[in-house]
Structures are given as C-alpha cells and as structure tokens.
C-alpha cells in the first residue's frame, strides 16, 4: 500500500494530468446534456452582474458613433422620401397630360420644359421641340388645366413660349355660361383680369373662363380659369372681372403644343 | 502563491471583460494561456495542471469558449507540457528551449482552432490555417510584450517551492 502511495506520489503529475484530461473529455462529450446547459446558463446569469457595467460603458462609448450613423441615415431617408414624393407628383402630372391627349380632338405634341427663361422683360419658357417636330411660331401651348401661352421663337429642336404671365400677353376669352367675351391679361400671383366686358354682362363668381375662338392661335373653349371677382366701376362703360388661372405657371415641367391650323368662327 | 492567484483572477477578468474590445474579426487574444504558462513555470507542474483545468472550466462556463471542457483540456495540456520546462533553460540550447515553448503554445491554439473550426478545416484548409496562425499570432503579440518585462528564461530558472 505504501509502495502504491509512493508510486502515485512519484508520478502524481502524470496521474493528475490523466485525470483532468479524462474529466475534460467527459465534459466535452456532455456538451449537449440538459444539465450542462442549465449549469452554464446559471453561471452566465451570475457573471452577467459583473459584466453588465462594462457592457454599459461599451454601449455608451458606441452611442455617439451610433447617433452619427442614425443622423446620416435619417437625412438619406428624408431625401429619398422627398425624391419619391416628387416622382409621385410627376407621375400624376404625366397621367393628366396623357388623359388630355387622349380626350382631345386637337393634334397635340408633348414637350418638356427645359428652361424657364431669363429675360427681364419677357416671361417665357423653352420647350424641347422645334421645327423638326412640326412646330411653328404662334401656336397655342397648353397643359391639362388650360392655356399657358404661345410659341414666339422656333428653333430646329427647341421653341420659346411666351407664357400667360407675361406683361404683354393678351388672350381673347369667353365667360361661361353668360357667353360674354373680353380680353384677358395677367396681373399677379396667378390672377388675371378680363377687360372689354359689356356693362350689362351677367357674370358671377365661379364662372368658367374659356378661350373665345376669335383668334388664329387659340382654338375655342379651351379652359383658362374661373371668375373670382367682378368689378363694376361707376362711370365706366365696361365691367372688369378678375380670373384665377388654373395652371401653375411657376412649376411647369411638361406642356403640349397644338399643331392644328385654327379657323376663326 | 496568493499573489499569483490574484494575478490569475485578474487574467480571468481581463479575458472575460476586455476580450471583446480587443477582438479583431472574431479573433481574440488568450490571456489565460499566458497566465497558465507562467504559473506552471514558476510553480509545480501539478499545480499548473489543476489551475489550468479550473480556469479553463470557468472560462467555458462563462461562454468565452463555445465547447464546454475544451479550454480545460487545452490549458491542462499546456500546463502539463510546460511543466517539463521547469528549470530546463540552463540545460537546453536556448533556441531549442524557445522552440519548445512556442510549440506548446502552437499545440494549444491548434487544438482550439481545430475543434472550433472543424467545418472550415474540411471545406478550406488554407482558410483554416490562416485562422489558426492569426489566433496564435494575436496572442503571441501580447506574449512578446510580457516577455520584455518578464522573460520566459527567467521564469524557467525559478526553483520549485
């Protein structure tokens, strides 16, 4: 017995090593054992008390960087929403243009607005169609909401359009349902006035204003706007009506040009 | 001895708390093997084996290692092999001595890497080798730093109490 003890003592390193290797292998083979998993879970819970303050410190140090990334992401998403919103508006606008082209008997050619003009004394836009597309000078330009101008200069592939808000622009119009005709000119902020109306003309607020047809440029009955005010000045032989035009002149992206030759009624 | 136990506790906490900060592409330094290596050189072999097993077990329990029992096995083995170097620096050629302890650490990391990345070993031996070398090399960087303050040859000369 003593010899056995001495033998063990002499080779204790090897015996201890073999014992722990055996124990380690036993544990390795018990990895999927439910009890092992439970013990590991409980031990991990206890140790999380120690590690949680360090984890908190780590998360705090990452917070600033995370906030920066989130800010960038926020801006990116805002821009994307803005872009999608614009695309949606453009889509709606193009659908309206398509409807107009399909419903109208007029021969229309679609064009994109490529420039809003920089002349100080002429309100104009530039369209990306010209002679090569059959465009001539003095052709009516419109959008689904109504007339917006006429071509005044035509190049090979582009045209300049004098638009309705130009100070020298005049348009012969008719007020419906009364049928009174007058001359329309632009005032400000999408408001125009119609002069040369008969004193006894029956005009009400909300009446529609359309083109009269007394022109070689504009076909009759194209929408222009609606009456918002009627001025009956004392001592004057005429009435003056104020009209709000429907077309949003400041944000034009697309337009149509009427190619038909117009005959005066 | 008590001082060394405290150092061991420190090494364990270092491994448990700070190892994630030092992690590079999921490769982490192993401070426990460094500690067990020095502890065994400074103390008796059997003490190193017992401490290696206990610390390995604690490490596995904390989830630092994904295989329960693997760290106990490798640290016990490292302690057992390192024990043969006790007081051997004077008797062996220096390069042979250094080659042996480097080989012991290589074996430790090879076993760990092999068990943890068996699938990688089967699918791409080259990737496995890179993983093994990086894991070993990363810990060796810390080992080399410690070498400046406390060389292995000095630890090996220490007499067993």
């Amino acid at each position: 017995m003593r010899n056995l003890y001495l033998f063990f003592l002499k080779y204790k390193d090897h015996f201890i090593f073999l014992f722990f290797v055996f124990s380690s292998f036993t544990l390795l083979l018990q990895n999927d054992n439910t009890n092992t998993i439970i013990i590991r879970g409980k031990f991990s819970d206890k140790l999380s008390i120690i590690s949680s303050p360090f984890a908190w410190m780590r998360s705090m140090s990452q917070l600033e960087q995370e906030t920066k990334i989130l800010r960038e992401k926020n801006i990116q998403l805002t821009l994307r929403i803005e872009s999608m919103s614009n695309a949606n508006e453009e889509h709606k606008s193009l659908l309206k243009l398509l409807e107009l082209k399909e419903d109208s008997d007029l021969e229309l050619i679609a064009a994109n607005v490529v420039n809003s003009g920089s002349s100080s004394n002429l309100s104009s836009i530039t369209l990306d169609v010209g002679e090569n597309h059959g465009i001539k000078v003095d052709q009516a330009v419109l959008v689904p909401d109504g007339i917006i101008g006429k071509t005044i200069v035509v190049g090979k592939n582009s045209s300049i359009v004098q638009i309705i808000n130009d100070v020298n622009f005049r348009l012969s119009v008719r007020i419906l349902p009364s049928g009174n005709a007058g001359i329309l000119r632009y005032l400000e902020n999408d408001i125009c006035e119609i002069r040369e109306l008969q004193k006894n003309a029956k005009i009400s607020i909300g009446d529609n204003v359309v083109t009269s047809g007394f022109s070689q440029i504009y076909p009759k009955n194209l929408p222009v706007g609606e009456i918002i005010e009627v001025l009956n000045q004392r001592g004057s032989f005429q009435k003056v009506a104020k009209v709000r035009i429907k077309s949003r002149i400041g944000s034009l992206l697309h337009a149509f040009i009427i190619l038909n030759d117009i005959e005066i009624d | 001895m008590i001082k060394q136990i405290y150092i061991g506790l420190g090494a364990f906490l270092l491994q448990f708390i700070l190892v994630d900060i030092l992690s590079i592409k999921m490769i982490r330094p192993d401070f426990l093997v460094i500690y067990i290596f020095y502890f065994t050189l400074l103390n008796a072999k059997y003490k190193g084996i017992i401490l290696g097993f206990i610390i390995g077990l604690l490490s596995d329990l904390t989830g630092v290692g994904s295989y329960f029992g693997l760290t106990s096995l490798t640290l016990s083995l490292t302690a057992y092999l390192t024990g043969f170097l006790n007081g051997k620096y004077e008797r062996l050629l220096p390069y042979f001595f250094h080659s042996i302890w480097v080989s012991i650490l290589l074996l430790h990391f090879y076993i760990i890497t092999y068990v943890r990345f068996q699938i990688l070993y089967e699918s791409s031996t080259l990737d496995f080798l890179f993983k093994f070398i990086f894991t070993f090399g990363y810990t060796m960087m810390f080992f080399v730093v410690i070498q400046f303050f406390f060389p292995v040859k000095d630890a090996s000369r220490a007499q067993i109490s």
Side-chain angles (χ1 to χ4, degrees), chain B residues 66-78:
Chain B
S66 53
Y67 290 90
F68 189 52
L70 178 64
T71 320
S72 317
L73 176 72
T74 53
L75 288 181
S76 302
L77 181 65
T78 304

Side-chain angles (χ1 to χ4, degrees), chain A residues 217-237:
Chain A
I217 301 171
Y218 306 103
K220 66 177 180 180
N221 293 333
L222 291 175
V224 176
E226 65 174 27
I227 301 292
I228 57 164
E229 192 180 350
V230 182
L231 302 171
N232 201 353
Q233 292 166 330
R234 188 178 286 180
S236 170
F237 296 106

